[in-house]
Amino acid sequence: MFLIYITILCAELLGTRAMELVDSGPQTLMKAQGESAVLGCRYKPGPGDTGGLDIEWSIVSPDTTQKDQMLVSYSGGIQYVHRENPLTKGMSFSSPDPSASQDASLSIAAVTPDHSATYQCKVKQSPGVDTRKVSLVVLVKPSVPRCWAEGTQMEGEPVTLHCKSASGSGPLSYTWRKQSGPSGASPEQQDSATGELKISNHSQSHAGLYLCEVNNAVGSERCQVHLRCSKPPNRAAVIVGTVIGCILLILILLLFIAVLYWKLRGRRRYDKEFSNDIREDVPPPESRPVSRRTTRSSGPSQHHVTYDPLGGTELSWSDDVTSDPPSSKNQVYTPVQYDSKFGYAV
């Protein structure tokens, strides 16, 4: 009888359902930076789960030796946000009352790349307990790319179209499409990884408006560039123009040298004439203002010498010793040479 009772009791216990997380949402969630995210965690307690409800959301540490980071929790009818973790900003339970709605999902207002991690939801209502893990991957949308053409855009020359996005989570994929104009470059000439579209032999058929689109798992952006095709210049005209330009340059250089030579030559002539004028205008040495009379005792008469204060020369006359100098009417002046070496008249 006792064995029958034990068997019935075990069968009842085995048939009783315990706490179970029934959320069917994706276990890997991809979001773009700035978007909101909801990590699903719906639960269904078993008939025997009559204890208090406890809910915990945490980030699973990649290192099994380290503790998990607690984010938000629910216990005794109160929601708790663990503010010591900076990632909890903007986090809360999706349901105002997780016990009534049986919804323990986690809501994040605006995700950032730092939110990329593996999250664990743990729901416990004694004696039942269950857990669920959700991976969140936050990606950055591609920025608006820049489109440009590299090359001369002349007929017969190679041209490369570039498309580059400055930011965005990889892998980024680039696609070129021609929007207007005649059919041109084939898709085999473009590289989806680098965003280059190469045209080896440019022609009028390649000219037109091109659209580049860059995308990743969370978004896409685009830009446009207009490709032109110009005729190559006349090479003969270019050569003739180059020769004429060189000749003109040489003539201008020769003219400059001639003007410079003429200026220098005129300056030398002026300097020479100026130096000669200085030599001709040198004043003669000043004559002595003091007159002097020289007496010679070789004869009965005396020879008198005096300086002409106006002409700077010495005048002499002869007279007796006792006679006075002749008057101005009867004076006979004999020029006397002045020797600068000895300093007196000779």
Side-chain angles (χ1 to χ4, degrees):
M1 187 68 181
F2 179 77
L3 292 175
I4 295 174
Y5 177 77
I6 294 296
T7 302
I8 295 172
L9 182 61
C10 288
E12 290 179 356
L13 292 175
L14 291 174
T16 303
R17 293 180 306 165
M19 173 66 69
E20 182 183 6
L21 299 182
V22 296
D23 200 297
S24 59
Q27 288 190 300
T28 300
L29 190 63
M30 301 186 70
K31 288 290 182 178
Q33 182 180 10
E35 292 182 346
S36 61
V38 176
L39 309 184
C41 186
R42 294 180 179 274
Y43 66 93
K44 186 175 182 181
D49 298 335
T50 58
L53 178 64
D54 293 325
I55 304 173
E56 293 179 355
W57 272 101
S58 60
I59 293 179
V60 180
S61 176
D63 188 355
T64 57
T65 62
Q66 299 295 326
K67 291 183 179 181
D68 296 340
Q69 302 179 43
M70 189 65 67
L71 300 174
V72 297
S73 61
Y74 177 87
S75 180
I78 302 175
Q79 298 183 21
Y80 298 93
V81 179
H82 299 264
R83 301 295 183 183
E84 64 274 7
N85 193 329
L87 295 177
T88 59
K89 184 179 180 180
M91 286 187 179
S92 64
F93 285 100
S94 299
S95 175
D97 188 359
S99 62
S101 61
Q102 295 184 356
D103 185 6
S105 299
L106 178 66
S107 176
I108 306 176
V111 296
T112 65
D114 293 336
H115 287 103
S116 298
T118 299
Y119 295 78
Q120 177 177 271
C121 174
K122 181 180 179 180
V123 181
K124 178 181 179 182
Q125 191 170 12
S126 297
V129 60
D130 198 5
T131 60
R132 182 175 189 263
K133 293 181 179 179
V134 180
S135 294
L136 175 62
V137 180
V138 180
L139 301 177
V140 179
K141 287 183 179 181
S143 61
V144 177
R146 184 172 71 94
C147 294
W148 74 97
E150 182 181 22
T152 59
Q153 300 189 37
M154 291 186 180
E155 189 174 4
E157 298 292 333
V159 179
T160 303
L161 300 183
H162 294 271
C163 181
K164 191 67 175 177
S165 183
S167 61
S169 299
L172 299 177
S173 178
Y174 297 90
T175 305
W176 280 100
R177 294 196 304 270
K178 193 172 184 179
Q179 295 292 100
S180 64
S183 59
S186 60
E188 289 76 17
Q189 292 177 293
Q190 61 177 305
D191 191 334
S192 61
T194 61
E196 294 182 353
L197 175 62
K198 295 183 179 180
I199 302 173
S200 58
N201 188 13
H202 192 30
S203 64
Q204 291 293 338
S205 62
H206 294 102
L209 183 64
Y210 287 80
L211 173 70
C212 173
E213 183 176 84
V214 54
N215 60 77
N216 61 5
V218 293
S220 64
E221 291 291 347
R222 59 187 61 186
C223 63
Q224 293 179 338
V225 61
H226 190 270
L227 182 62
R228 297 175 175 83
C229 184
S230 305
K231 292 287 185 180
N234 190 342
R235 297 185 180 276
V238 173
I239 295 174
V240 172
T242 304
V243 172
I244 294 176
C246 293
I247 294 175
L248 290 177
L249 181 62
I250 293 173
L251 291 176
I252 293 174
L253 183 61
L254 292 176
L255 180 61
F256 175 76
I257 294 174
V259 172
L260 183 63
Y261 175 76
W262 180 77
K263 289 284 187 181
L264 293 176
R265 185 177 180 183
R267 185 169 182 177
R268 287 182 179 178
R269 183 182 301 171
Y270 173 78
D271 293 343
K272 186 175 181 181
E273 293 177 356
F274 183 75
S275 60
N276 292 337
D277 292 341
I278 293 177
R279 294 190 188 97
E280 293 177 357
D281 294 340
V282 172
E286 298 180 358
S287 58
R288 296 184 182 181
V290 181
S291 60
R292 187 180 60 180
R293 178 175 298 178
T294 304
T295 304
R296 295 183 180 180
S297 57
S298 58
S301 63
Q302 293 181 345
H303 183 73
H304 301 279
V305 179
T306 184
Y307 284 94
D308 183 3
L310 297 178
T313 57
E314 292 184 353
L315 305 178
S316 62
W317 66 90
S318 298
D319 199 359
D320 294 336
V321 177
T322 57
S323 64
D324 294 330
S327 62
S328 58
K329 293 182 180 181
N330 299 324
Q331 285 181 352
V332 179
Y333 295 96
T334 303
V336 179
Q337 299 294 328
Y338 178 79
D339 191 350
S340 61
K341 180 178 179 182
F342 297 97
Y344 52 85
V346 180

